[in-house]
Structure formats: C-alpha cells, structure tokens
Amino acid sequence: LADLSVSEMDSDVLVLGDDREATDQVRALAEAIPGFRGIYGGRLRNAHQVEAFTANLIAINRRYKAHAGIRITDV
C-alpha cells in the first residue's frame, strides 16, 4: 500500500468478526480504497487461517517483487 506508483489494486479484503455491524463498517472502509472489495470471511475464531495466508502473500510479494493479493470469485 505504500507504493505510490500503484494507483489501484484489484483485490479483496477478508473481514472476520462476530459483530455484524462492526464487520459491515470495516467492509465499507475497505471498499473506500479504489479496487478493493470487503468480503465477510466468517467468525473471528477463523481469523488465524486468514492471518497465516497473509504471511504467505507477503512472502510471495517479496520474492517476486509483486503486488499479489486475493480475489474471491462468484460473489
């Protein structure tokens, strides 16, 4: 997100939580960023799975000097 040469990313943000109102607010914040889409990813107890995958994305981006992200299809 700090690379100012990237004007837009086509990526989804998984939002997990047990409070529907709070997750809706965070999803709306994510969607305020051009190219981002907030997707409800489930209950907070599943957050460790998403956090582990985030570490993989960071490693991919470092290795390939890329801006890889995720996109949830058919939603």
Side-chain angles (χ1 to χ4, degrees):
L1 293 175
D3 187 348
L4 298 178
S5 68
V6 178
S7 62
E8 185 173 310
M9 292 184 65
D10 186 27
S11 203
D12 289 333
V13 176
L14 291 175
V15 179
L16 289 82
D18 297 328
D19 180 330
R20 177 66 182 259
E21 186 177 322
T23 57
D24 287 348
Q25 287 179 343
V26 174
R27 287 178 44 242
L29 286 170
E31 292 178 6
I33 301 170
F36 277 73
R37 185 173 62 158
I39 301 289
Y40 176 71
R43 299 189 58 136
L44 191 58
R45 67 177 175 236
N46 297 324
H48 65 283
Q49 296 167 339
V50 174
E51 291 296 330
F53 187 66
T54 300
N56 293 112
L57 281 174
I58 291 169
I60 290 167
N61 286 323
R62 282 187 182 153
R63 179 179 178 106
Y64 295 100
K65 296 179 177 49
H67 300 333
I70 61 165
R71 183 54 117 174
I72 307 300
T73 59
D74 201 27
V75 176

